[in-house]
Amino acid sequence: MVIQAVHVPESAEAAVTYSARGAWIMGGGTVVMPLVNSGAAPATELVSLCRAGLDGVEVRAGVARIGAAATLTAVGEHPGLAFLRPALRTIASPTIRNQATVGGNLFVAQPYGDLAICLLALDATCEIAGPDGRRDAPLAEVLTSGSPQGRSSWRYGPRLPSRVPGATTRPCAAA
């Protein structure tokens, strides 16, 4: 299909609205853009999460909150998540990690999506925003229910216990 519109909402709620209408959610674009360029994208509209406020990475009181639009590089650079660096460095090349997002990596088809294993081992949960509101769910449940495309948008992405309680926080750069 040919893309006819690209929406760049400034909130998760607006992203949910576009997604509920059938637009395809795009984080870093490492999976979506090749499909768009080849004409194989299953939708005619895209929703870019680059300005939706979903790119944060923070650690407070022993709990990490990682936005769905946070890049793999941003996660690896956070001092409170240093224990994830060895695993993150095995995912793709540095160029791809600079663009690839946590939300995208969790739902990309195999053989990709290595971050899910780390987050499952940490018993991560997700806060999900959809047309019916927000809810928390274990990552394992979210992954087994299939991709959130077309029915919900990750508000904050995975939440997991940090091995470095009280680590400092810093905002991620906008994609």
Side-chain angles (χ1 to χ4, degrees), residues 106-161:
L106 289 175
F107 287 101
V108 69
Q110 290 300 316
Y112 310 105
D114 301 338
L115 183 60
I117 302 303
C118 297
L119 299 181
L120 286 167
L122 293 165
D123 201 25
T125 61
C126 299
E127 181 178 350
I128 301 170
D132 298 326
R134 296 183 187 185
R135 69 181 177 93
D136 288 339
L139 178 61
E141 176 186 312
V142 174
L143 292 174
T144 58
S145 70
S147 172
Q149 283 292 359
R151 59 185 167 81
S152 65
S153 171
W154 289 43
R155 175 65 177 108
Y156 292 106
R159 243 180 279 161
L160 55 119

Coordinates of all heavy atoms in Angstrom, one line a residue, residues 106-161:
L106 N 10.2 -5.2 20.8 CA 9.4 -6.2 21.5 C 8.5 -6.9 20.5 O 8.1 -8.1 20.8 CB 8.7 -5.6 22.6 CG 9.5 -5.3 23.8 CD1 8.7 -4.6 24.9 CD2 10.2 -6.5 24.4
F107 N 8.1 -6.3 19.4 CA 7.1 -6.8 18.5 C 7.5 -7.1 17.1 O 6.8 -7.6 16.3 CB 5.8 -5.9 18.5 CG 5.1 -6.0 19.8 CD1 5.2 -5.0 20.7 CD2 4.2 -7.1 20.0 CE1 4.5 -5.1 21.9 CE2 3.6 -7.2 21.2 CZ 3.7 -6.2 22.2
V108 N 8.8 -7.0 16.9 CA 9.4 -7.3 15.6 C 9.4 -8.9 15.5 O 9.6 -9.6 16.4 CB 10.8 -6.7 15.4 CG1 11.8 -7.4 16.3 CG2 11.2 -6.8 13.9
A109 N 9.2 -9.3 14.2 CA 9.2 -10.8 14.0 C 10.6 -11.4 14.2 O 11.6 -10.7 14.1 CB 8.7 -11.1 12.6
Q110 N 10.6 -12.6 14.6 CA 11.8 -13.3 14.8 C 12.5 -13.5 13.5 O 11.9 -13.5 12.4 CB 11.6 -14.7 15.4 CG 11.1 -14.6 16.9 CD 12.2 -13.9 17.8 OE1 13.3 -14.2 17.6 NE2 11.7 -13.1 18.6
P111 N 13.8 -13.4 13.4 CA 14.8 -13.7 14.5 C 15.2 -12.5 15.3 O 16.2 -12.5 16.0 CB 16.0 -14.3 13.7 CG 16.0 -13.5 12.4 CD 14.5 -13.3 12.1
Y112 N 14.5 -11.4 15.2 CA 14.8 -10.2 15.9 C 14.1 -10.1 17.2 O 13.4 -11.0 17.5 CB 14.5 -8.9 15.0 CG 15.1 -9.1 13.6 CD1 14.3 -9.4 12.5 CD2 16.5 -9.0 13.4 CE1 14.9 -9.5 11.3 CE2 17.0 -9.1 12.2 CZ 16.2 -9.4 11.1 OH 16.8 -9.6 9.8
G113 N 14.2 -9.0 17.9 CA 13.4 -8.9 19.1 C 14.1 -9.5 20.4 O 13.4 -10.0 21.3
D114 N 15.4 -9.4 20.4 CA 16.1 -10.0 21.5 C 15.9 -9.4 22.9 O 16.1 -10.0 23.9 CB 17.6 -9.9 21.2 CG 18.0 -10.6 19.9 OD1 17.2 -11.5 19.5 OD2 19.1 -10.3 19.4
L115 N 15.5 -8.1 22.9 CA 15.2 -7.5 24.2 C 14.2 -8.1 25.0 O 14.2 -8.1 26.3 CB 14.9 -6.0 24.0 CG 14.7 -5.1 25.2 CD1 16.0 -5.1 26.1 CD2 14.3 -3.7 24.8
A116 N 13.2 -8.7 24.4 CA 12.1 -9.4 25.1 C 12.6 -10.4 26.1 O 12.1 -10.5 27.2 CB 11.1 -10.1 24.1
I117 N 13.6 -11.2 25.8 CA 14.2 -12.2 26.6 C 14.7 -11.6 27.9 O 14.4 -12.1 29.0 CB 15.3 -13.0 26.0 CG1 14.8 -13.6 24.7 CG2 15.9 -14.0 26.9 CD1 13.7 -14.6 24.8
C118 N 15.4 -10.5 27.8 CA 15.9 -9.8 29.0 C 14.8 -9.3 29.9 O 14.8 -9.5 31.1 CB 16.8 -8.6 28.6 SG 18.2 -9.0 27.7
L119 N 13.8 -8.7 29.3 CA 12.7 -8.1 30.1 C 11.8 -9.2 30.7 O 11.2 -9.0 31.8 CB 11.9 -7.1 29.2 CG 12.7 -5.9 28.7 CD1 11.8 -5.0 27.8 CD2 13.3 -5.2 29.8
L120 N 11.6 -10.3 30.0 CA 10.9 -11.4 30.5 C 11.6 -12.0 31.7 O 11.0 -12.3 32.8 CB 10.6 -12.5 29.5 CG 9.6 -12.2 28.4 CD1 9.7 -13.2 27.3 CD2 8.2 -12.2 29.0
A121 N 12.9 -12.1 31.7 CA 13.7 -12.6 32.8 C 13.6 -11.7 34.0 O 13.7 -12.2 35.1 CB 15.1 -12.8 32.4
L122 N 13.3 -10.4 33.8 CA 13.2 -9.4 34.9 C 11.8 -9.3 35.3 O 11.5 -8.4 36.1 CB 13.8 -8.1 34.4 CG 15.3 -8.1 34.2 CD1 15.7 -6.8 33.4 CD2 16.0 -8.2 35.5
D123 N 10.9 -10.1 34.7 CA 9.4 -10.1 35.1 C 8.8 -8.7 34.9 O 8.1 -8.1 35.7 CB 9.2 -10.5 36.6 CG 7.8 -11.0 36.8 OD1 7.2 -11.4 35.9 OD2 7.4 -10.9 38.0
A124 N 9.1 -8.1 33.7 CA 8.7 -6.7 33.4 C 7.1 -6.7 33.2 O 6.5 -7.7 32.8 CB 9.3 -6.3 32.1
T125 N 6.6 -5.5 33.5 CA 5.2 -5.3 33.2 C 5.1 -4.1 32.3 O 6.1 -3.4 32.1 CB 4.4 -4.9 34.5 OG1 4.9 -3.8 35.1 CG2 4.4 -6.1 35.5
C126 N 4.0 -3.9 31.6 CA 3.8 -2.8 30.7 C 2.5 -2.0 31.1 O 1.5 -2.6 31.5 CB 3.5 -3.4 29.3 SG 4.9 -4.4 28.6
E127 N 2.6 -0.7 30.9 CA 1.5 0.1 31.0 C 1.0 0.3 29.5 O 1.8 0.8 28.7 CB 1.8 1.4 31.6 CG 0.5 2.3 31.7 CD 0.8 3.6 32.4 OE1 1.9 3.8 33.0 OE2 -0.1 4.5 32.4
I128 N -0.2 0.0 29.2 CA -0.7 0.1 27.9 C -1.9 1.1 27.8 O -2.8 1.0 28.7 CB -1.2 -1.3 27.4 CG1 -0.1 -2.3 27.5 CG2 -1.8 -1.2 26.0 CD1 -0.5 -3.7 27.3
A129 N -1.8 1.9 26.8 CA -3.0 2.9 26.6 C -3.7 2.4 25.3 O -3.1 2.1 24.3 CB -2.4 4.3 26.4
G130 N -5.0 2.4 25.4 CA -5.8 2.0 24.3 C -7.1 2.8 24.3 O -7.3 3.6 25.2
P131 N -7.9 2.5 23.3 CA -9.2 3.2 23.2 C -10.1 3.0 24.5 O -10.9 3.9 24.8 CB -9.9 2.5 22.0 CG -8.8 1.9 21.2 CD -7.7 1.6 22.2
D132 N -9.9 2.0 25.2 CA -10.7 1.7 26.4 C -10.0 2.2 27.7 O -10.4 1.9 28.8 CB -11.0 0.2 26.6 CG -11.9 -0.3 25.4 OD1 -12.7 0.5 24.9 OD2 -11.7 -1.4 25.0
G133 N -8.9 3.0 27.6 CA -8.2 3.5 28.7 C -6.8 2.8 28.9 O -6.3 2.2 27.9
R134 N -6.3 2.9 30.1 CA -5.0 2.3 30.4 C -5.1 1.1 31.3 O -6.0 1.0 32.1 CB -4.1 3.4 31.1 CG -3.9 4.6 30.2 CD -3.0 5.6 30.9 NE -2.9 6.7 30.0 CZ -2.2 7.7 30.2 NH1 -1.4 7.8 31.3 NH2 -2.1 8.8 29.4
R135 N -4.1 0.3 31.2 CA -4.0 -0.9 32.0 C -2.6 -1.3 32.2 O -1.8 -1.0 31.3 CB -4.9 -2.0 31.5 CG -4.4 -2.7 30.3 CD -5.3 -3.8 29.8 NE -4.9 -4.3 28.5 CZ -4.1 -5.4 28.4 NH1 -3.6 -6.0 29.5 NH2 -3.7 -5.9 27.3
D136 N -2.3 -2.0 33.2 CA -1.0 -2.7 33.4 C -1.1 -4.1 33.1 O -2.2 -4.7 33.4 CB -0.5 -2.5 34.8 CG 0.0 -1.1 35.1 OD1 0.2 -0.3 34.2 OD2 0.0 -0.7 36.3
A137 N -0.1 -4.7 32.5 CA -0.1 -6.2 32.2 C 1.3 -6.7 32.2 O 2.2 -6.0 31.9 CB -0.8 -6.4 30.8
P138 N 1.4 -7.9 32.7 CA 2.8 -8.6 32.6 C 3.2 -8.6 31.1 O 2.4 -8.9 30.2 CB 2.6 -10.0 33.1 CG 1.3 -9.9 33.9 CD 0.4 -8.8 33.2
L139 N 4.5 -8.4 30.9 CA 5.0 -8.4 29.5 C 4.8 -9.8 28.9 O 4.4 -9.8 27.7 CB 6.6 -8.1 29.5 CG 7.2 -8.2 28.2 CD1 6.6 -7.2 27.2 CD2 8.7 -8.0 28.3
A140 N 4.9 -10.8 29.6 CA 4.6 -12.2 29.1 C 3.2 -12.2 28.5 O 3.0 -12.8 27.4 CB 4.8 -13.3 30.1
E141 N 2.2 -11.7 29.2 CA 0.9 -11.7 28.7 C 0.7 -10.8 27.4 O 0.1 -11.2 26.4 CB -0.1 -11.1 29.7 CG -1.5 -11.0 29.3 CD -2.3 -10.3 30.4 OE1 -2.3 -10.7 31.5 OE2 -3.1 -9.3 30.0
V142 N 1.4 -9.7 27.4 CA 1.3 -8.8 26.2 C 2.0 -9.4 25.0 O 1.4 -9.4 23.9 CB 2.0 -7.4 26.6 CG1 2.1 -6.5 25.3 CG2 1.3 -6.7 27.7
L143 N 3.1 -10.1 25.2 CA 3.8 -10.7 24.1 C 3.0 -11.9 23.5 O 2.9 -12.1 22.3 CB 5.2 -11.2 24.5 CG 6.2 -10.1 24.8 CD1 7.5 -10.7 25.3 CD2 6.4 -9.3 23.5
T144 N 2.3 -12.7 24.4 CA 1.5 -13.8 23.9 C 0.2 -13.4 23.3 O -0.4 -14.1 22.5 CB 1.2 -14.8 25.0 OG1 0.5 -14.2 26.1 CG2 2.5 -15.4 25.5
S145 N -0.3 -12.1 23.6 CA -1.5 -11.7 22.9 C -1.3 -11.1 21.6 O -2.2 -10.8 20.8 CB -2.2 -10.6 23.8 OG -1.4 -9.4 23.8
G146 N 0.0 -10.9 21.1 CA 0.3 -10.4 19.8 C 0.6 -8.9 19.8 O 0.5 -8.3 20.8
S147 N 0.9 -8.5 18.6 CA 1.3 -7.1 18.4 C 0.1 -6.1 18.7 O -1.0 -6.4 18.4 CB 1.7 -6.8 17.0 OG 1.9 -5.5 16.7
P148 N 0.5 -5.0 19.4 CA -0.6 -4.0 19.7 C -1.0 -3.2 18.5 O -1.8 -2.3 18.6 CB 0.1 -3.1 20.8 CG 1.5 -3.2 20.5 CD 1.8 -4.6 19.9
Q149 N -0.4 -3.4 17.3 CA -0.7 -2.6 16.2 C -2.2 -2.5 15.9 O -2.9 -3.5 15.9 CB -0.1 -3.1 14.9 CG 1.4 -2.9 14.8 CD 1.7 -1.4 14.6 OE1 0.8 -0.5 14.5 NE2 2.9 -1.1 14.5
G150 N -2.7 -1.3 15.7 CA -4.1 -1.1 15.4 C -5.1 -1.2 16.5 O -6.3 -1.0 16.3
R151 N -4.6 -1.5 17.7 CA -5.6 -1.5 18.8 C -5.1 -0.8 20.1 O -5.9 -0.6 21.0 CB -6.0 -2.9 19.1 CG -4.9 -3.9 19.5 CD -5.5 -5.3 19.6 NE -4.5 -6.3 19.6 CZ -3.8 -6.6 20.7 NH1 -4.0 -6.0 21.8 NH2 -2.9 -7.5 20.7
S152 N -3.8 -0.5 20.2 CA -3.4 0.2 21.4 C -2.0 0.8 21.2 O -1.3 0.5 20.2 CB -3.3 -0.8 22.6 OG -2.4 -1.8 22.4
S153 N -1.6 1.6 22.1 CA -0.3 2.2 22.0 C 0.4 2.1 23.4 O -0.3 2.3 24.4 CB -0.5 3.7 21.7 OG 0.7 4.4 21.8
W154 N 1.6 1.8 23.4 CA 2.3 1.6 24.7 C 2.5 3.0 25.2 O 3.1 3.9 24.6 CB 3.6 1.0 24.5 CG 3.5 -0.5 24.1 CD1 2.7 -1.1 23.3 CD2 4.4 -1.5 24.7 NE1 2.9 -2.4 23.2 CE2 3.9 -2.7 24.1 CE3 5.4 -1.5 25.6 CZ2 4.5 -3.9 24.4 CZ3 6.0 -2.7 25.9 CH2 5.5 -3.9 25.3
R155 N 2.0 3.2 26.4 CA 2.2 4.6 27.1 C 3.6 4.7 27.6 O 4.3 5.7 27.4 CB 1.2 4.7 28.2 CG 1.3 6.0 29.0 CD 1.1 7.2 28.1 NE 1.2 8.4 28.9 CZ 2.2 9.3 28.8 NH1 3.2 9.1 28.0 NH2 2.2 10.4 29.5
Y156 N 4.1 3.8 28.4 CA 5.4 3.9 29.0 C 6.3 2.8 28.7 O 7.5 2.8 28.9 CB 5.3 4.0 30.5 CG 4.7 5.3 31.0 CD1 3.4 5.3 31.5 CD2 5.3 6.5 30.9 CE1 2.8 6.5 31.9 CE2 4.8 7.7 31.3 CZ 3.5 7.7 31.8 OH 2.9 8.8 32.2
G157 N 5.7 1.7 28.1 CA 6.5 0.6 27.8 C 6.8 -0.2 29.1 O 6.1 -0.1 30.1
P158 N 7.9 -1.0 29.1 CA 8.1 -1.9 30.2 C 8.5 -1.2 31.5 O 9.1 -0.2 31.4 CB 9.3 -2.8 29.7 CG 9.3 -2.6 28.2 CD 8.8 -1.2 27.9
R159 N 8.1 -1.8 32.5 CA 8.6 -1.4 33.9 C 9.3 -2.6 34.5 O 8.7 -3.7 34.4 CB 7.3 -1.1 34.7 CG 7.3 0.3 35.2 CD 6.1 0.5 36.0 NE 5.0 0.7 35.1 CZ 3.8 0.6 35.4 NH1 3.4 0.2 36.6 NH2 2.8 0.8 34.5
L160 N 10.4 -2.5 35.0 CA 11.2 -3.6 35.5 C 11.9 -3.2 36.7 O 12.3 -2.0 36.9 CB 12.1 -4.2 34.5 CG 13.1 -3.2 33.8 CD1 14.5 -3.7 34.1 CD2 12.8 -3.2 32.4
P161 N 12.2 -4.1 37.6 CA 13.0 -3.8 38.8 C 14.4 -3.5 38.3 O 15.0 -4.2 37.5 CB 13.0 -5.1 39.6 CG 12.3 -6.1 38.9 CD 11.7 -5.5 37.6

